[in-house]
Amino acid sequence: MPVSVASEKLGIWMVGACGNVAATAAAGLVALQKGIAPLTGLVSELPPFAGIELANWQGMVVGGHDIRKPCLLQTADRLASERVIPAELLTACREELVAIEANIRPGVAYRCGQQIRQLADVQVADEAAVAPRQLVSQIQDDLLSFRKQHGLDRIVVVNLASTEPTLPADSAEAAQLTPTTWPELEPHLDTVGSAQFVASSLYAIAAFELEMPFVNFTPSVGASSEALENLSQRKNICHAGRDGKTGETLLKTVLAPMFAHRNLEVMSWVGHNIFGNLDGRVLDHPDNRATKVATKDKVLGSTLGYDPQTLVSIEYIKSLGDWKTAWDHVHFSGFLGTSMTLQFTWQGSDSALAAPLVLDLARLTDRAAGAGEIGTLAPLACFFKSPQGSSQHDFFEQHRALLEWVSELS
Ligand SMILES: NC(=O)c1ccc[n+]([C@@H]2O[C@H](COP(=O)([O-])OP(=O)(O)OC[C@H]3O[C@@H](n4cnc5c(N)ncnc54)[C@H](O)[C@@H]3O)[C@@H](O)[C@H]2O)c1
């Protein structure tokens, strides 16, 4: 008799395992396993998903990579002091989180910029003296040991690491020199210091070569290049990305369709974001911030059908910790050219918003892999600011596509 997916063991391998989002997702998963957390915030627990067999919370095991010494508990304690994770819930989950911390291995910090590299307090290879292939093998050894040690049936790799500066290869001129197929790109893995890769793409390559699905919750390049798409297709494995849509951008993609459907013209949209967690500290560097702003800033044009003037700012204000405040000012015109303004203030805990989506994405990507889906998972667009495989940014259209996909799966 076939074993049900729900009763099998699924590993969730978090890259950036000691960060805020990873620690909140890990604590949340343990709390779900103990039945002490409500299902609020989990999309995959909504009624339409009941018809598809998703991995059971009970069968999930967390491990991961980080370039800091394992400090998941320390991160969780800090989040409890900031009222992101309830203190009593953390106390109840502490023993299991100690066990998860033991599954964290030193990650790789290849060409991910000084702002990230200076966070490292584990031994990371000198990027000018190492062939990327060596780092891919290191990642794969850790994934295989994790699978063996815990008797896992499957693993999903989720990138939750700090945002990398934009690859020079992302620029138009460099793109012309960038290999577009895996056979063209693969030999560069053996070139010491090759400029074709960054850490996030090495994690994706490691996962694909082992036929494990990959989720890129960050704006970093990850698996978004044509050559990596080609690799995923050759390996018959799926992936999803890029940059989780959790707060201000979620609101933008909900509100922009309203302006479009009422034939109101958005003249400008200004969004100021202030927050003080480690992500904010990394994004305080102009190179890292540019990667994030690019994914936050391109959601309006496709929904409105024209490009209003936009400004997105992200500022690191230490005292705010994980609590992000976004203030948006939308200047629009209506009948007879009358100008009006919408302003909103969003105050959310970044990690409490992101963590359930990470768990949803792990489950849905695992389910897609089980159904034999290959390459980019476009139906998961509603989870991302810069959805791969889809130019649709209207949240309602994205949600409809998700439900259609779920109904096909069931
Ligand atoms: N919180 C949200 O709402 C949200 C939404 C969308 C995207 N994101 C993205 O998710 C990521 C995680 O956010 P966070 O708030 O947890 O950040 P964080 O700074 O708290 O955690 C990032 C972790 O990644 C580790 N790291 C950095 N480079 C690494 C590498 N090469 N290999 C392994 N580990 C590495 C860091 O040491 C740190 O522990 C960021 O890129 C952020 O932009 C977050």
Side-chain angles (χ1 to χ4, degrees):
M1 216 171 80
V3 182
S4 118
V5 168
S7 65
E8 292 180 348
K9 280 182 92 177
L10 174 67
I12 307 183
W13 189 264
M14 300 184 185
V15 179
C18 299
N20 276 8
V21 176
T24 311
L29 174 61
V30 174
L32 288 167
Q33 291 173 333
K34 288 176 168 280
I36 56 171
L39 300 173
T40 319
L42 288 158
V43 176
S44 61
E45 287 292 340
L46 287 168
F49 296 82
I52 54 171
E53 206 181 9
L54 294 172
N56 201 310
W57 303 123
Q58 302 302 331
M60 292 187 195
V61 183
V62 174
H65 280 121
D66 207 293
I67 56 168
R68 297 185 291 155
K69 291 199 183 101
C71 56
L72 182 144
L73 266 171
Q74 211 180 314
T75 303
D77 280 333
R78 184 176 31 74
L79 289 168
S81 75
E82 289 182 29
R83 297 174 296 104
V84 173
I85 301 177
E88 60 285 3
L89 182 143
L90 187 55
T91 305
C93 299
R94 186 165 287 276
E95 204 179 302
E96 290 80 0
L97 291 174
V98 171
I100 289 175
E101 199 166 75
N103 297 334
I104 298 175
R105 300 282 170 270
V108 304
Y110 189 76
R111 298 186 62 252
C112 49
Q114 204 40 42
Q115 192 79 344
I116 293 181
R117 223 180 150 78
Q118 71 192 10
L119 297 177
D121 59 7
V122 297
Q123 187 80 31
V124 286
D126 175 1
E127 57 197 19
V130 69
R133 166 72 69 198
Q134 227 174 300
L135 304 178
V136 170
S137 302
Q138 176 192 324
I139 297 166
Q140 289 176 333
D141 287 348
D142 292 334
L143 287 165
L144 293 174
S145 320
F146 178 57
R147 180 159 78 188
K148 191 163 171 212
Q149 188 189 348
H150 296 278
L152 301 171
D153 297 287
R154 303 175 309 283
I155 296 178
V156 177
V157 177
V158 187
N159 182 24
L160 299 173
S162 315
T163 301
E164 295 162 348
T166 304
L167 253 190
D170 275 3
S171 71
E173 320 80 73
Q176 290 174 346
L177 304 172
T178 305
T180 53
T181 66
W182 179 242
E184 288 173 294
L185 180 63
E186 190 182 13
H188 292 275
L189 279 177
D190 298 312
T191 308
V192 170
S194 168
Q196 296 290 346
F197 308 96
V198 285
S200 63
S201 56
L202 298 182
Y203 286 112
I205 291 168
F208 291 162
E209 285 191 335
L210 295 178
E211 296 170 24
M212 295 174 183
F214 178 79
V215 176
N216 185 9
F217 199 77
T218 81
S220 304
V221 71
S224 62
S225 69
E226 278 183 72
L228 261 68
E229 173 66 20
N230 183 240
L231 172 62
S232 72
Q233 298 199 359
R234 285 165 173 263
K235 290 288 177 182
N236 296 328
I237 198 68
C238 56
H239 62 103
R242 177 178 181 186
D243 201 5
K245 184 158 82 171
T246 53
E248 188 223 13
T249 313
L250 173 64
L251 273 169
K252 264 188 185 168
T253 61
V254 165
L255 290 171
M258 176 199 74
F259 288 106
H261 298 330
R262 284 281 193 240
N263 199 9
L264 298 169
E265 185 197 347
V266 176
M267 297 183 289
S268 62
W269 196 310
V270 175
H272 290 298
N273 297 270
I274 51 173
F275 63 125
N277 57 21
L278 182 61
D279 186 30
R281 203 172 95 201
V282 170
L283 294 175
D284 207 32
H285 192 286
D287 294 348
N288 305 65
R289 184 166 53 225
T291 310
K292 189 66 144 189
V293 168
T295 71
K296 281 174 87 67
D297 199 25
K298 63 182 171 201
V299 300
L300 293 175
S302 73
T303 307
L304 297 172
Y306 54 89
D307 290 315
Q309 184 184 356
T310 57
L311 177 83
V312 177
S313 72
I314 302 174
E315 302 296 340
Y316 173 62
I317 304 294
K318 191 175 175 194
S319 69
L320 295 178
D322 196 59
W323 292 87
K324 182 188 279 172
T325 296
W327 169 69
D328 277 43
H329 181 284
V330 188
H331 193 204
F332 64 99
S333 76
F335 195 47
L336 308 179
T338 307
S339 308
M340 295 167 252
T341 300
L342 162 75
Q343 295 179 52
F344 66 80
T345 310
W346 171 265
Q347 285 176 302
S349 151
D350 241 12
S351 305
L353 289 161
L357 302 186
V358 169
L359 299 176
D360 286 327
L361 283 164
R363 271 179 132 185
L364 294 170
T365 309
D366 172 58
R367 181 66 182 80
E373 301 242 4
I374 295 167
T376 303
L377 290 171
L380 299 187
C382 70
F383 289 97
F384 298 106
K385 290 191 194 72
S386 191
Q388 283 170 232
S390 163
S391 53
Q392 182 58 265
H393 287 285
D394 177 328
F395 181 74
F396 303 99
E397 289 299 321
Q398 291 176 331
H399 188 244
R400 198 180 45 73
L402 175 68
L403 294 185
E404 263 173 27
W405 178 70
V406 168
S407 127
E408 279 162 26
L409 279 179
S410 62

